[in-house]
Amino acid sequence: MSSPAIPRPASVAAMRRILRPARLPQRPVTATPESCRSVCSGAAATRPGALNASSLRSPPSRARIPRPHLQPAARSYHSHDHPPPPGPFTPAESALLSAAYKRVPEHGFTQEALALGARDAGLLEISPAVFPGDGVFALIRWHLYTQRTALADTVDEVAAGTPAGPAGVAERVERLTWERLRANEAIVGRWQEALAIMAQPSHIPASLGELAQLADDILYLAGDVSVDPSWYTKRASLSAIYAAAELFQTTDTSPGFRETRAFLQRRLAEAAQAGAAVRSVGQWAGFTAGAVVNVLRSKGLRI
Amino acid sequence: MATPRALWQPWRHCHPLPLRSSLVKTSVITTTSTRLFSSSSSSSSSQQQQPQQPQQPQPQQSPPPPSPPSHQPSPSHQAGKKKPLTPSQQAFLASALRVNQAGELAATLIYTHQTPPVVAREPHLAPLMRHMYDQEAGHLRTFNALLARHRVRPSALYPLWSALATGLGWATGVVSREAAMACTEAVETEIGDHYNAQIRTLLEMVAGWEAEGYEVGDEFRHLVDTLRRIRDEELEHLDHAVEHDAKKAEPHWLLTGVIRAGCRGAIWVSERV
């Protein structure tokens, strides 16, 4: 076996020190400088493990122990000038999970894949114990995170469109969603088990967060610039369509998943029709109300 | 922040011109904002990312390859590098842009619905109302572009703000011209305070980065300049409203009090929802 890039830690404790991030991610704070003061002063009092009267009276609640592996709330402001904040996985975790990911087609999203991956990466087989629970959800999140961030590489190709001309936003959304579905090809046989794990109540918030982030990324990369309430409706409908298409894909046996692509296109067309219908009704109602008010004004009513 | 109103109100009608520049130059470093630009190790990432990505049209940054964690470089080595934004800074910027967009949307709708009843009674006010509307529409376009560029979500209560602004504009327009001007005066006063607070916080962030030796890019300088320009135009609207008898609206204290309280509540909610 080739010499590992990562030194073998002497003990489980040493391994935990390596695999845990140097600092725990900050709790996301919404809004004003005033609230920042409360964060600064309040954080010390509620720090888990703080020895004060209230913490001694009641047993420490598990819910307050911060989990280093959960990403902070979806990044709220994307800066083009400044370097991006760190991803949800530390470098050592990334090495372990990327090695374990190669074992997934054969062994599924299981602890066997994690143990074999740890061995491949040159770590102790007990290394996956650093992840909360049995570690398989971390492996699933690795798949979701890497495939989502890989979409950015396909943007140029998608935007170029056909020889007829550059692709419009709707076409780019379809292409990007299809590229993301294609990325499931290697592990599609194991995906139903993974969906079952993601549906466990403790994993639902993170799973839905990843789905929402995927829909946001696809719409952003497709060039959608709307910032009115359709921002929410587009992302909600794209999340639902993607989830349905992915579920369909797990039972699709057609070559190159062409049935899945047809399914996706039908759903997107329905969503577009529904959106156009709602917009038309809204436009009609707005024009009618405006016309009524203007007619009354022209009759002399002071409104 | 209590300080902007105290500095601003007594000076307002005495020294209009130096006020705006002096407000911006007095940067009161308050402890409440230290979190936003603190250089402590807790706020910076434990692993240094590859130094700033070259400016690319591609909006999404791909995840950095695993790299061994490195310690914080000393300030002399940071020239030309930009510091990653902390989560609280990102949250502040997102909520600031969100509130500003909601505010400009409300202003645009107020003018749209105030104009017909006011101009029907006093046609000579048409050019003024048109000018103020055009400036607000420009502000709205600016913030829409900023939100789209920086991937900030709009306020979830967008339809509610639209309905309330429509109702407020129409109601004050129908009552009288003075009431419409008093509404403008109240809204622009709150907005002026609000923009000043945001500019102050942004300048503190910039000062913090410069103190640590990091580079401050065009993005932030442009953002501060945009907010200053928009703040100046809002204060110009305030001047116009006062010139056109805003103070003569009958229960002036009630109208402006209620509208200012409503604005403050809407700002507080939009920052969060």
Side-chain angles (χ1 to χ4, degrees):
Chain A
M1 194 153 106
S2 60
S3 63
I6 296 161
R8 291 181 78 96
S11 65
V12 171
M15 173 205 62
R16 281 183 193 273
R17 274 197 297 280
I18 291 172
L19 287 182
R20 286 214 186 274
R23 61 161 183 96
L24 298 174
Q26 295 176 354
R27 266 185 304 120
V29 178
T30 48
T32 59
E34 285 83 357
S35 70
C36 293
R37 194 199 293 137
S38 63
V39 167
C40 292
S41 57
T46 58
R47 192 182 59 237
L51 274 185
N52 49 34
S54 59
S55 76
L56 290 174
R57 261 184 224 117
S58 56
S61 75
R62 291 189 60 172
R64 282 184 21 207
I65 298 170
R67 293 184 175 276
H69 308 288
L70 288 178
Q71 202 173 354
R75 69 182 64 170
S76 38
Y77 175 92
H78 172 81
S79 169
H80 294 270
D81 263 7
H82 289 248
F89 300 105
T90 64
E93 288 171 359
S94 305
L96 169 55
L97 289 171
S98 58
Y101 187 62
K102 297 189 178 71
R103 298 293 196 153
V104 166
E106 203 184 322
H107 298 276
F109 288 95
T110 55
Q111 291 181 308
E112 286 85 50
L114 282 164
L116 289 170
R119 202 172 358 124
D120 292 344
L123 297 167
L124 296 174
E125 279 192 20
I126 198 166
S127 310
V130 76
F131 297 117
D134 54 5
V136 296
F137 187 61
L139 190 51
I140 295 170
R141 286 189 64 231
W142 174 259
H143 163 78
L144 294 173
Y145 176 75
T146 48
Q147 299 307 344
R148 171 169 63 81
T149 47
L151 272 181
D153 301 330
T154 63
V155 163
D156 292 331
E157 185 190 306
V158 162
T162 62
V169 173
E171 201 184 315
R172 277 188 258 185
V173 167
E174 193 270 331
R175 276 290 301 275
L176 283 164
T177 314
W178 170 239
E179 291 298 329
R180 177 60 188 84
L181 286 166
R182 269 184 54 201
N184 283 342
E185 190 172 351
I187 49 91
V188 71
R190 303 291 183 175
W191 195 241
Q192 283 189 347
E193 303 153 11
L195 285 171
I197 293 167
M198 284 160 67
Q200 290 171 11
S202 54
H203 297 149
I204 284 176
S207 311
L208 290 177
E210 271 292 332
L211 179 61
Q213 192 69 25
L214 174 67
D216 187 35
D217 281 3
I218 288 177
L219 280 163
Y220 177 67
L221 293 172
D224 176 59
V225 293
S226 59
V227 282
D228 52 1
S230 70
W231 189 96
Y232 291 91
T233 57
K234 281 180 187 164
R235 279 151 181 78
S237 65
L238 184 60
S239 305
I241 290 171
Y242 176 79
E246 203 177 48
L247 191 55
F248 182 93
Q249 192 187 25
T250 58
T251 61
D252 185 15
T253 50
S254 62
F257 297 115
R258 57 165 190 248
E259 291 299 320
T260 305
R261 190 167 196 181
F263 178 92
L264 172 68
Q265 284 167 343
R266 285 195 299 271
R267 298 289 84 75
L268 287 171
E270 281 169 10
Q273 277 173 1
V278 168
R279 216 172 307 125
S280 307
V281 169
Q283 223 176 33
W284 173 85
F287 280 140
T288 306
V292 165
V293 169
N294 286 330
V295 163
L296 290 174
R297 280 176 182 158
S298 69
K299 300 282 183 205
L301 211 60
R302 292 185 158 273
I303 55 166
Chain B
M1 287 189 184
T3 41
R5 204 170 304 127
L7 272 178
W8 191 70
Q9 254 181 352
W11 292 23
R12 182 70 202 86
H13 302 289
C14 304
H15 306 287
L17 196 51
L19 175 68
R20 287 166 205 170
S21 48
S22 69
L23 252 187
V24 169
K25 280 177 186 138
T26 55
S27 65
V28 178
I29 311 272
T30 60
T31 52
T32 56
S33 326
T34 48
R35 190 76 166 155
L36 290 177
F37 64 90
S38 69
S39 62
S40 59
S41 54
S42 63
S43 62
S44 58
S45 57
S46 55
Q47 64 258 28
Q48 275 296 340
Q49 305 301 324
Q50 57 226 15
Q52 71 213 75
Q53 312 274 357
Q55 288 293 334
Q56 284 169 3
Q58 218 168 48
Q60 178 91 345
Q61 311 279 6
S62 39
S67 59
S70 59
H71 57 273
Q72 183 81 0
S74 58
S76 59
H77 296 156
Q78 289 160 11
K81 281 168 84 153
K82 297 186 179 74
K83 191 173 175 182
L85 296 172
T86 65
S88 56
Q89 286 174 333
Q90 284 187 314
F92 168 75
L93 287 162
S95 70
L97 289 177
R98 180 162 51 248
V99 172
N100 293 349
Q101 190 228 17
E104 297 302 340
L105 168 75
T108 318
L109 288 170
I110 288 174
Y111 284 127
T112 308
H113 294 279
Q114 256 181 6
T115 306
V118 167
V119 165
R121 279 193 298 267
E122 299 181 52
H124 67 275
L125 288 176
L128 172 70
M129 300 295 287
R130 177 80 204 184
H131 168 71
M132 295 203 291
Y133 170 80
D134 287 341
Q135 285 189 320
E136 297 293 359
H139 299 168
L140 182 61
R141 278 194 297 273
T142 304
F143 284 119
N144 284 346
L146 280 171
L147 256 70
R149 181 174 159 75
H150 296 293
R151 303 184 64 177
V152 177
R153 66 175 178 84
S155 175
L157 297 177
Y158 192 106
L160 176 66
W161 307 137
S162 307
L164 289 177
T166 301
L168 178 63
W170 179 79
T172 51
V174 158
V175 166
S176 68
R177 186 244 306 184
E178 288 82 12
M181 293 297 161
C183 167
T184 303
E185 180 202 348
V187 170
E188 300 296 1
T189 307
E190 281 305 315
I191 296 287
D193 285 347
H194 170 71
Y195 278 130
N196 278 329
Q198 286 184 352
I199 291 168
R200 182 173 292 114
T201 311
L202 278 174
L203 288 176
E204 284 165 359
M205 274 167 66
V206 166
W209 287 330
E210 283 171 347
E212 292 167 34
Y214 284 102
E215 189 193 315
V216 179
D218 287 338
E219 184 177 301
F220 275 86
R221 298 203 191 281
H222 177 70
L223 188 60
V224 172
D225 290 339
T226 304
L227 286 181
R228 280 178 179 153
R229 174 180 63 80
I230 291 179
R231 190 260 331 262
D232 290 346
E233 289 174 1
E234 302 291 358
L235 293 178
E236 182 199 319
H237 296 175
L238 176 57
D239 289 343
H240 288 311
V242 169
E243 269 168 34
H244 286 86
D245 305 329
K247 303 283 187 190
K248 290 190 185 152
E250 253 329 284
H252 180 261
W253 61 273
L254 181 64
L255 254 181
T256 47
V258 166
I259 293 173
R260 288 181 66 174
C263 282
R264 278 196 293 272
I267 287 173
W268 188 89
V269 172
S270 292
E271 279 172 349
R272 286 152 182 81
V273 175

